[in-house]
């Protein structure tokens, strides 16, 4: 061990015995006890007990005595044997002395106002001071009976450093403690006797802090410790200034931190690198740090626990999270501050569970993605929703959440809020949105319930034609720039009538890109119309349309029923089904077209079809709001209690080989 000892003095134990005189007086009881109560009008206060190194000036402060005016102060000092220490003065409220030997010094303050007097004592423990630096390369124990001053960088390599409960290490400016490969630091204090790592001056950023670099032994434990006034600068280009740094680029590290306080850092309380781990760490306090409580990565933020406290920091109260890839199952706990997410977090082949009440604020252009075989379990509650928001409350500040290439049945988001996303599309086949589900060649499956998607720069949610959203219900899509939802014909049936789609900035329409529906489906009645873009085709499937549903078609768009399809559009007198144009212009869209759809149960009741008939559906038909059949494609429909109006051509065209029953 290269341990430079500059000065060491033996610690002297001083024990004061109190003598109890037995006998010779009667026990005082009853009224006699009341006669001995202190009825003074003044009260002395000599201050709190202190532990200091020898040869360090000690201030005794009696100014908290009461009343503070019109009293006379008188101090006396009891010192260890052979000590020459004495008070610089003894008749002021505040006096000083310098202990010259180890041991216990007792200062007694007597105050008087001429009528009454009172007395108070305080103990000052003077400890040995040992100055250390260099490399510890053999097992060493630091004693609580010694005050250690680190005067140069201190490191542990290939050895175990054990620190006793109650021990204090003071670090001079710019110094540090580094745990290198195969090093073990066992610093296990107690609730009564914590271990303290502090600065020789109580200034944030005075020393560099403690650095685990390559130390991965499971016995690296810090319990009931205080680390303060560190965080002068980062230990490596890949780390941040912090009181405690665990890991760095190309250097893994592991340790456990419990019941501890990290405070007054010039940077963060803790920097946990992506190569670091802190299993079983809990019940810590990160406060009064200049930047914030913790800086970490997406892949390591699960080591932070809800039993710890992260508030009361100077710059802002948040967890700074640098985005990276997550490839192992983990839980993001709900903390008393928000996680501030920068860059992109990508979850692949892992299950991510997010606790109710957790909050995430995303920096500009950042996002959260779920890729190959990922599982998302974000289960909030009505009173503790999970919040995904932006560091600036501006629409389009961040990219939003992107679910792609995961079809696990456990993908579930319940009682979540996603806001201020939709900065740009994740893929050429998607649109900007708070929540994007699927893309070309990437099937997805998930359930969204009881959630709010708002303030997107695009739509609240984009649902690709490859997405499945079974049992999604009870959501709110509002205050989005381009509308609540954008989806496709084959998946629009996942939108439910119990959700709310109103209050968006660029017209209230659920935008539907036309494609082919090839499975039985129900299009539910929403509180706004579906905005139908292009041609929507129903092929070899039964489509049910709920009463009250509204469809507004873009120019030249249409709704076609092809081979073996079935249409059941049953409105009511109070809630007709409306097929109209995005513009109220005769001939704006092509209309509804049945070809080769001859199911005997095809029916439309209490429907309104208007502003269609822009052009004929086929060379053998004519422009009309409703076209039934064509050459070689006979169809059948029962139409009742319905209205055709404002067509650019005919109201209804029925081909000669087809059947239209008007009952």
């Amino acid at each position: 061990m290269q341990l430079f000892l500059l000065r060491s003095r033996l610690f002297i134990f001083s024990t004061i015995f109190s003598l109890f005189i037995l006998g010779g007086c009667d026990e005082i009881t009853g009224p006699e006890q009341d006669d001995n109560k202190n009825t003074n009008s003044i009260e002395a206060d000599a201050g709190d007990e202190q532990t200091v190194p020898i040869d360090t000036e000690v201030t005794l402060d009696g100014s908290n005595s009461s009343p503070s005016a019109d009293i006379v102060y008188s101090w006396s000092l009891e010192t260890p044997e052979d000590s020459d220490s004495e008070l610089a003065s003894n008749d002021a409220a505040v006096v000083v002395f310098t202990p010259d030997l180890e041991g216990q010094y007792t200062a007694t303050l007597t105050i008087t106002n001429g009528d009454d007097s009172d007395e108070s004592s305080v103990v000052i423990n003077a400890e040995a001071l040992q100055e250390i630096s260099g490399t510890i390369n053999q097992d060493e124990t630091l004693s609580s009976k010694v005050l250690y001053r680190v005067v140069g960088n201190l490191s542990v390599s290939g050895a175990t450093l054990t620190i006793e409960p109650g021990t204090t290490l003071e670090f001079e400016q710019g110094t540090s403690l580094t745990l290198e490969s195969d090093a073990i630091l066992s610093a296990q204090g107690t609730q009564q006797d914590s271990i303290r790592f502090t600065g020789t001056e109580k200034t944030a950023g005075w020393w560099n802090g403690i650095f685990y670099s390559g130390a991965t032994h499971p016995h690296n434990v810090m319990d009931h410790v205080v680390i303060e006034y560190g965080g002068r600068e980062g230990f490596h280009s890949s780390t941040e200034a912090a009181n405690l740094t665990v890991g760095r680029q190309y250097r893994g590290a592991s340790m456990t931190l419990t019941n501890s306080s990290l405070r007054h850092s010039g940077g963060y309380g803790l920097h946990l690198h992506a190569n670091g781990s802190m299993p079983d760490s809990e019940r810590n306090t990160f406060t009064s740090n200049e930047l914030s409580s913790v800086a970490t990565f997406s892949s390591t933020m699960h080591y932070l626990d809800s039993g710890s406290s992260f508030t009361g920091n100077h710059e802002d109260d948040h967890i700074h999270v640098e985005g990276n890839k997550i490839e192992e199952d983990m839980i993001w706990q709900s903390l008393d501050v928000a996680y501030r997410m920068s860059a992109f977090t990508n979850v692949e082949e892992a299950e991510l569970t997010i606790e109710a009440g957790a909050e995430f604020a995303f920096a500009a252009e950042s996002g959260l993605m779920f890729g190959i075989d990922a599982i998302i379990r974000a289960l909030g509650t009505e009173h503790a929703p999970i919040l995904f928001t932006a560091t600036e409350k501006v629409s389009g500040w961040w990219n939003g959440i992107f679910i792609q290439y995961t079809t696990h049945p456990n993908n579930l988001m319940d009682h979540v809020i996603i806001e201020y996303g939709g900065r740009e599309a994740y893929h050429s086949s998607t649109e900007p949105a708070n929540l994007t589900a699927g893309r070309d060649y990437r099937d997805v499956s998930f359930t969204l319930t009881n959630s709010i998607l708002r303030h997107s720069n695009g739509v609240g949610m984009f649902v690709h034609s490859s997405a499945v959203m079974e049992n999604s219900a009870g959501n709110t899509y509002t205050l989005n720039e381009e509308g609540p939802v954008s989806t496709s014909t084959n998946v629009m049936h996942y939108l439910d009538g119990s959700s709310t789609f109103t209050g968006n900035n660029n017209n209230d329409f659920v935008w539907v890109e036309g494609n082919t529906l090839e499975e039985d489906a129900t299009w539910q009645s929403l509180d706004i119309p579906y905005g139908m873009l292009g041609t929507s085709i129903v092929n070899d499937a039964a489509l049910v349309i709920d009463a009250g549903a509204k469809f507004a078609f873009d120019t030249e768009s249409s709704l076609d029923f092809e081979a073996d399809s079935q249409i059941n559009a049953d409105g009511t007198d109070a809630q007709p089904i409306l097929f109209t144009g995005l513009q109220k212009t005769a001939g704006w869209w092509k209309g509804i077209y049945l070809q080769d759809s001859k199911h005997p149960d095809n029916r439309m009741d209490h429907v309104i079809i208007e502003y269609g008939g822009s052009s004929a559906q086929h060379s053998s038909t004519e422009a009309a709001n409703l076209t039934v059949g064509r050459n070689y494609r006979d169809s059948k429909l029962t139409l009742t209690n319905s209205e055709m109006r404002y067509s650019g051509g005919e109201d209804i065209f029925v081909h000669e080989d087809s059947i239209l029953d008007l009952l």
Side-chain angles (χ1 to χ4, degrees):
M1 169 181 174
Q2 299 175 357
L3 187 63
F4 301 106
L5 178 61
L6 302 182
R7 180 178 59 187
S8 177
R9 295 177 177 164
L10 295 176
F11 186 86
I12 301 174
F13 291 97
S14 154
T15 307
I16 300 176
F17 296 93
S18 298
L19 300 178
F20 296 90
I21 302 175
L22 303 177
C25 62
D26 295 330
E27 183 180 4
I28 300 174
T29 61
E32 294 183 11
Q33 287 179 316
D34 294 338
D35 292 343
N36 286 278
K37 289 173 65 176
N38 182 7
T39 59
N40 290 348
S41 61
I42 60 177
E43 183 175 356
D45 184 352
D48 298 327
E49 182 175 351
Q50 302 180 50
T51 299
V52 299
I54 60 174
D55 297 329
T56 299
E57 185 176 85
V58 175
T59 298
L60 302 171
D61 189 350
S63 60
N64 288 326
S65 301
S66 61
S68 58
D70 300 325
I71 59 175
V72 176
Y73 297 87
S74 178
W75 291 88
S76 63
L77 182 66
E78 182 181 345
T79 66
E81 187 178 357
D82 297 328
S83 171
D84 295 324
S85 295
E86 58 184 22
L87 295 167
S89 64
N90 65 353
D91 58 357
V94 179
V95 298
V96 297
F97 80 98
T98 301
D100 58 351
L101 295 177
E102 296 170 310
Q104 189 178 83
Y105 296 74
T106 302
T108 300
L109 170 64
T110 302
I111 62 173
T112 180
N113 64 359
D115 296 322
D116 293 319
S117 65
D118 195 30
E119 186 177 281
S120 175
S121 297
V122 63
V123 173
I124 309 299
N125 298 296
E127 297 183 343
L129 178 67
Q130 180 173 314
E131 296 181 341
I132 57 176
S133 65
T135 301
I136 298 173
N137 50 27
Q138 61 184 22
D139 294 352
E140 184 75 19
T141 298
L142 301 186
S143 170
S144 62
K145 300 176 182 179
V146 178
L147 177 62
Y148 296 91
R149 179 165 292 169
V150 181
V151 296
N153 289 334
L154 181 65
S155 63
V156 183
S157 179
T160 298
L161 175 62
T162 302
I163 303 178
E164 291 183 347
T167 303
T168 296
L169 284 79
E170 291 184 346
F171 289 77
E172 289 194 344
Q173 187 175 20
T175 60
S176 62
L177 170 60
T178 299
L179 287 306
E180 298 177 353
S181 298
D182 301 322
I184 299 174
L185 174 61
S186 178
Q188 300 187 56
T190 67
Q191 186 173 2
Q192 294 74 27
D193 293 306
S194 61
I195 296 169
R196 186 179 300 272
F197 301 89
T198 189
T200 53
E201 289 196 14
K202 307 311 180 198
T203 302
W206 181 254
W207 61 294
N208 279 6
I210 300 173
F211 181 30
Y212 285 81
S213 176
T216 59
H217 199 282
H219 291 166
N220 274 313
V221 176
M222 302 177 78
D223 180 52
H224 285 99
V225 305
V226 176
I227 311 174
E228 59 186 6
Y229 302 108
R232 184 179 184 86
E233 60 186 11
F235 284 95
H236 184 264
S237 60
S238 64
T239 67
E240 305 282 348
N243 277 334
L244 175 62
T245 301
V246 181
R248 71 167 178 88
Q249 192 174 19
Y250 310 121
R251 293 285 175 84
S254 180
M255 58 88 64
T256 298
L257 180 73
T258 52
N259 305 302
S260 297
S261 179
L262 280 66
R263 62 195 185 194
H264 300 299
S265 168
Y268 295 93
L270 166 70
H271 179 236
L272 176 58
H273 193 269
N275 287 329
S277 66
M278 294 178 63
D280 303 317
S281 295
E282 56 187 0
R283 300 183 303 277
N284 301 301
T285 299
F286 305 85
T287 192
S288 299
N289 301 293
E290 291 296 318
L291 291 182
S292 193
S293 54
V294 177
T296 187
F297 286 75
S298 303
S299 60
T300 49
M301 58 194 278
H302 63 289
Y303 292 116
L304 306 179
D305 72 296
S306 57
S308 292
S309 175
F310 302 87
T311 62
N313 296 280
H314 295 170
E315 181 75 14
D316 194 7
D317 278 334
H318 67 272
I319 307 298
H320 177 78
V321 181
E322 191 70 28
N324 66 345
K325 182 180 286 189
I326 295 175
E327 298 178 290
E328 62 176 296
D329 296 351
M330 63 181 59
I331 298 173
W332 288 351
Q333 299 189 43
S334 174
L335 308 182
D336 55 5
V337 300
Y339 300 91
R340 179 169 292 180
M341 313 294 288
S342 64
F344 285 90
T345 296
N346 187 14
V347 184
E348 289 192 358
E349 297 183 332
E351 180 173 349
L352 176 62
T353 300
I354 303 176
E355 286 188 346
E359 296 185 6
F360 305 85
F362 287 80
E365 301 182 13
S366 63
L368 175 59
M369 302 182 292
F370 294 88
I372 300 173
D373 296 328
I375 302 174
I376 169 63
R377 300 279 292 171
L379 304 179
T381 68
E382 181 180 1
H383 301 293
I386 297 170
L387 176 63
F388 302 94
T389 188
T391 54
E392 298 285 342
K393 306 308 183 196
V394 176
S395 295
W397 186 256
W398 63 295
N399 279 26
I401 298 175
F402 183 25
I403 303 175
Q404 60 160 339
Y405 220 12
T406 168
T407 59
H408 199 282
N410 288 339
N411 285 328
L412 177 60
M413 302 175 76
D414 180 55
H415 284 100
V416 304
I417 299 171
I418 311 174
E419 60 184 12
Y420 301 108
R423 185 180 186 90
E424 58 185 20
Y426 273 100
H427 186 262
S428 59
S429 63
T430 69
E431 299 175 16
N434 277 333
L435 175 61
T436 300
R439 70 169 180 89
D440 280 353
Y441 315 113
R442 295 289 188 270
D443 294 344
V444 302
S445 177
F446 77 106
T447 299
L448 180 72
T449 53
N450 306 305
S451 297
I452 300 173
L453 281 69
R454 63 192 181 196
H455 297 297
S456 169
N457 191 52
V459 292
M461 177 172 67
F462 174 81
V463 185
H464 191 268
S465 60
S466 63
V468 175
M469 290 179 60
E470 294 285 358
N471 303 315
S472 294
N475 303 302
T476 299
Y477 309 84
T478 191
L479 300 173
N480 301 293
E481 292 296 324
E482 298 299 328
V485 177
S486 178
T487 186
S488 299
T489 304
N490 68 314
V491 291
M492 59 191 279
H493 60 282
Y494 294 121
L495 304 179
D496 68 294
S498 67
S499 292
T500 299
F501 300 86
T502 60
N504 295 279
N505 298 341
N506 188 25
N507 298 323
D508 277 332
F509 292 97
V510 170
W511 299 109
V512 180
E513 189 67 35
N515 67 352
T516 301
L517 174 65
E518 296 180 296
E519 61 178 289
D520 295 352
T522 297
W523 290 351
Q524 298 187 44
S525 174
L526 308 182
D527 55 4
I528 61 172
Y530 298 90
M532 309 297 288
L533 310 174
T535 299
S536 293
I537 299 172
V538 182
N539 183 55
D540 195 21
L543 175 63
V544 175
I545 302 177
D546 282 350
K550 300 178 180 64
F551 304 85
F553 287 79
D554 196 12
T555 181
E556 291 298 317
S557 61
S558 65
L559 174 58
D560 296 357
F561 292 86
E562 296 188 349
D564 298 319
S565 64
Q566 180 182 348
I567 171 64
N568 297 122
D570 292 324
T572 67
D573 186 42
Q575 291 185 305
I577 298 170
L578 175 63
F579 301 94
T580 187
L582 278 172
Q583 288 194 23
K584 306 308 180 189
T585 303
W588 180 257
W589 62 294
K590 292 184 74 171
I592 297 176
Y593 179 30
L594 278 70
Q595 59 163 330
D596 209 11
S597 175
K598 45 185 175 287
H599 196 283
D601 292 330
N602 280 343
R603 66 181 182 273
M604 301 175 74
D605 181 53
H606 285 97
V607 303
I608 299 170
I609 308 176
E610 61 183 13
Y611 301 110
S614 63
S615 60
Q617 301 281 2
H618 185 262
S619 59
S620 64
T621 68
E622 298 178 13
N625 276 331
L626 173 62
T627 300
V628 181
R630 71 168 178 88
N631 278 349
Y632 314 114
R633 296 287 189 271
D634 55 309
S635 298
K636 182 180 185 301
L637 174 67
T638 298
L639 181 68
T640 55
N641 304 304
S642 298
E643 183 176 357
M644 309 290 141
R645 61 194 184 194
Y646 307 122
S647 172
E650 304 293 335
D651 281 334
I652 301 174
F653 174 84
V654 182
H655 193 269
E656 60 183 356
D657 295 326
S658 297
I659 300 173
L660 177 64
D661 287 334
L662 302 173
L663 300 180

